[in-house]
Amino acid sequence: MVGMLSDMIDRRPAGVVTCANAADVAALVRYAAETGTDLAVRGGAHSVPGFGTADAALVADLAGLSSITVDPSTGTASAGGGATWGGFNEATGAHGLATTGGIVSTTGVGGLTLGGGIGYLARGYGLSCDNLLSAQVVTADGQTVTASATEHPDLFWALRGGGGNFGVVTEFTFRVHPVGMIYGGPMFFELSDGAAVLAYFNEFIKTAPREYGGFPDPCAHGARTARTGRQLRSAPVPDQRRLPRRGSRRDRVRAPRRHLRRGDRRDVAGPRGQRGNTRWVRDYHAAIAPHSLNGGYVNFASADDQSKVAANYGANYARLQEVKRRYDPDNLFHLNQNIEP
């Protein structure tokens, strides 16, 4: 089976089961546990590390659980475990409502939310997981439970960022918010001005309106108000020669420069293809790693980042392990950024 995003993911599962409801998921979970078969869970099929499939594994394909319902009277919306953010936004947008979702419309609601959920509305409304009100979950023993602030609160806490470690979520219920006119799109700057633009953005974002949701890439883009868009377009670009080279900001300046030196990817184009891209990414990582904090965002982690899982969760890791032992002591759900029981 070839991965959705590239030929780097090439797996041959034992079978793919398209689930139509939570009962189908529960039956498959019980079968996998009883037979000792690896179980992969495919929600929106957007997993860059390819966790939605595995050699000789059973794949629980949640594509059949993609329905979305919106209740404007309560300010809530529910989505099946196989729904994508594009479908969710279309359904909620019809009512002038939204919640923090994926940057890319084809991203699965489930995968993004379980890993935290960074999106354009995060500065105003929090992460996707912050807006989660309840979840219907099939646990490792094949039981279907509801996790919320009042039901299985320990599981509810762990689901909001702990990834797919604790069960298969077949339905998510979110708080949604009124969202009106959106101004969005990319803003491009000369690569030679990149370090200065990043330095400016670092100061700008400290006092930017909460409605602004953007990030430097090194261009800043995202949902924003017209006023913040004008601010960025009219921003003075400092002279790079005057950027500080010593003192407390020295490392931050070095880091943007190292990012920018790798912004030009012409050396990896052409017939070298994937090998060139892989080398570029590894060299890039080696250059910026000394300037990075320990841990990171699990939704951006790769399949070979298992050694960093504890660092990703920091002080919460021990508590997550306790919840894992309670709901999945045999680590049935291990094809993920795995929290070992």
Side-chain angles (χ1 to χ4, degrees):
M1 179 172 292
V2 178
M4 291 284 289
L5 298 181
S6 77
D7 59 4
M8 293 179 67
I9 310 301
D10 188 1
R11 303 287 184 264
R12 301 296 190 276
V16 177
V17 180
T18 301
C19 301
N21 49 48
D24 288 350
V25 175
L28 185 58
V29 167
R30 286 193 292 268
Y31 179 83
E34 291 167 2
T35 60
T37 307
D38 279 348
L39 179 66
V41 181
R42 180 188 297 162
H46 195 84
S47 173
V48 175
F51 289 140
T53 187
D55 288 330
L58 287 172
V59 176
D61 188 347
L62 306 185
L65 292 89
S66 58
S67 63
I68 299 160
T69 59
V70 184
D71 187 346
S73 66
T74 60
T76 62
S78 297
T84 64
W85 283 107
F88 186 92
N89 291 338
E90 182 178 2
T92 59
H95 302 277
L97 300 169
T99 199
T100 305
I103 303 297
V104 179
S105 64
T106 54
T107 302
V109 169
L112 185 86
T113 302
L114 295 175
I118 294 174
Y120 290 130
L121 300 180
R123 294 186 72 246
Y125 299 120
L127 303 176
S128 301
C129 67
D130 294 322
N131 291 281
L132 185 65
L133 297 174
S134 66
Q136 183 184 73
V137 190
V138 176
T139 55
D141 58 2
Q143 301 299 308
T144 301
V145 303
T146 297
S148 69
T150 57
E151 301 177 85
H152 299 279
D154 54 345
L155 177 60
F156 183 59
W157 174 82
L159 289 173
R160 291 176 292 160
N165 278 282
F166 309 98
V168 183
V169 180
T170 54
E171 184 177 73
F172 299 81
T173 298
F174 296 94
R175 180 186 300 108
V176 290
H177 312 271
V179 176
M181 182 65 70
I182 295 293
Y183 297 86
M187 297 179 67
F188 296 97
F189 302 88
E190 293 293 335
L191 188 62
S192 58
D193 290 328
V197 170
L198 291 172
Y200 174 83
F201 186 87
N202 192 49
E203 297 302 316
F204 159 81
I205 200 65
K206 294 177 182 178
T207 57
R210 300 296 288 182
E211 295 85 0
Y212 176 80
F215 52 88
D217 200 17
C219 57
H221 58 96
R224 58 180 180 267
T225 64
R227 183 170 67 85
T228 57
R230 288 193 297 270
Q231 279 181 277
L232 286 172
R233 287 195 300 271
S234 62
V237 178
D239 186 342
Q240 292 191 70
R241 293 170 297 181
R242 300 181 64 183
L243 289 174
R245 297 178 182 272
R246 297 186 298 276
S248 61
R249 295 179 62 197
R250 186 176 184 182
D251 282 344
R252 280 184 291 168
V253 173
R254 281 180 175 174
R257 289 193 173 120
R258 294 194 178 191
H259 277 293
L260 292 161
R261 276 202 293 269
R262 284 157 180 82
D264 187 344
R265 299 185 56 192
R266 283 175 295 184
D267 62 325
V268 300
R272 285 174 286 183
Q274 195 63 61
R275 284 181 296 177
N277 287 327
T278 301
R279 186 185 68 253
W280 176 80
V281 170
R282 288 175 175 165
D283 290 346
Y284 197 157
H285 175 267
I288 64 173
H291 304 282
S292 304
L293 298 174
N294 290 329
Y297 178 42
V298 293
N299 282 345
F300 287 166
S302 300
D304 58 356
D305 282 331
Q306 293 293 337
S307 63
K308 302 175 184 177
V309 173
N312 291 338
Y313 292 111
N316 286 324
Y317 187 68
R319 183 179 172 188
L320 287 166
Q321 284 187 300
E322 291 178 10
V323 180
K324 178 74 169 180
R325 281 192 290 270
R326 192 171 303 132
Y327 289 94
D328 185 16
D330 297 322
N331 205 11
L332 175 66
F333 303 112
H334 63 272
L335 296 177
N336 44 45
Q337 297 298 329
N338 194 230
I339 298 169
E340 297 185 0

